[in-house]
Amino acid sequence: MDKNVLDRIEIIQGDITRLEVDAIVNAANNRLLGGGGVDGAIHRAAGPELLAECRELGGCPTGEARITKGYRLPARHVIHTVGPVYQGRPEDARLLAGCYTSSLSLAAERQLATIAFPAISCGVYGYPLADACKIAIDTTLAFLGEHPEIQRIFFVLFSDSDRQTYSAYRQRLA
Ligand code: AR6
């Protein structure tokens, strides 16, 4: 693995709504009108202006992403992506990888240099964390290799055990 690329990803434990980055990624649903989990936390912290902008977007297909402003968040933008509900199909992995690629493509288009991801689909949507972690990191590393303008990706895990799973996988690649 190219060390420079691996050095551009950082794995941390914490609340993604607190991060001062160019964009945080939201694990949303197809309607993009808020919900529980990280989606609820982001809408609460961003304020009602976020929901108002989301209403204009008219939803988002699974595996794709849309971008809004960050409003009252420390992050400048929110990239809303919709992960698959885990059903153990090969399609799930393709859709989850699509969430990372679509989100990173939007960031690159807008020249955003620092982006933070939660563990998309790993809460209510039931994706096994160890499988999702490989997809998240492998897809992101491949994208970073082709996009030197993206400086830093943060993977923000809510629990310490989830952080350890991500850190262990990253270590295997070093
Ligand atoms: N910061 C970082 N990670 C968080 C935070 C936070 N503040 N809060 C939760 N997590 P989930 P999904 C972690 O369920 O599985 C919503 O209702 C959490 O521990 O938020 O993609 C949407 O509207 C888990 O590891 O998202 C959709 O309907 C991860 O974020 C549905 O849930 C994702 O858990 C999407 O489900």
Side-chain angles (χ1 to χ4, degrees):
M1 174 60 58
D2 179 345
K3 189 173 175 308
N4 291 334
V5 174
L6 207 51
D7 282 349
R8 284 154 63 206
I9 71 170
E10 194 164 324
I11 293 159
I12 57 177
Q13 183 191 356
D15 176 355
I16 201 166
T17 66
R18 310 294 287 272
L19 260 63
E20 202 178 324
V21 287
D22 291 336
I24 59 171
V25 177
N26 182 17
N29 57 55
N30 294 123
R31 285 158 42 87
L32 297 187
L33 298 178
V38 71
D39 194 7
I42 288 173
H43 275 273
R44 274 193 300 280
E49 297 93 338
L50 178 62
L51 184 59
E53 187 177 353
C54 283
R55 283 191 208 286
E56 308 283 309
L57 296 173
C60 178
T62 305
E64 294 188 18
R66 302 287 184 266
I67 189 165
T68 64
K69 294 197 279 267
Y71 299 99
R72 300 178 201 177
L73 289 163
R76 286 168 50 214
H77 297 87
V78 180
I79 295 172
H80 306 262
T81 191
V82 185
V85 175
Y86 183 73
Q87 296 174 66
R89 310 162 301 174
E91 180 79 350
D92 298 338
R94 190 185 64 74
L95 290 168
L96 187 60
C99 289
Y100 287 91
T101 309
S102 307
S103 299
L104 290 165
S105 298
L106 276 177
E109 270 170 34
R110 303 286 183 111
Q111 297 175 327
L112 308 182
T114 54
I115 301 109
F117 282 97
I120 300 161
S121 283
C122 293
V124 175
Y125 283 179
Y127 215 111
L129 187 91
D131 296 340
C133 159
K134 290 181 190 163
I135 294 169
I137 292 181
D138 291 351
T139 308
T140 299
L141 289 174
F143 195 93
L144 288 180
E146 294 180 359
H147 291 270
E149 70 278 15
I150 296 188
Q151 285 169 13
R152 202 148 201 85
I153 302 296
F154 298 90
F155 291 106
V156 186
L157 289 314
F158 218 30
S159 74
D160 191 53
S161 75
D162 288 356
R163 185 198 55 78
Q164 283 178 31
T165 301
Y166 268 64
S167 296
Y169 185 63
R170 183 187 188 282
Q171 197 60 40
R172 273 174 50 194
L173 301 174

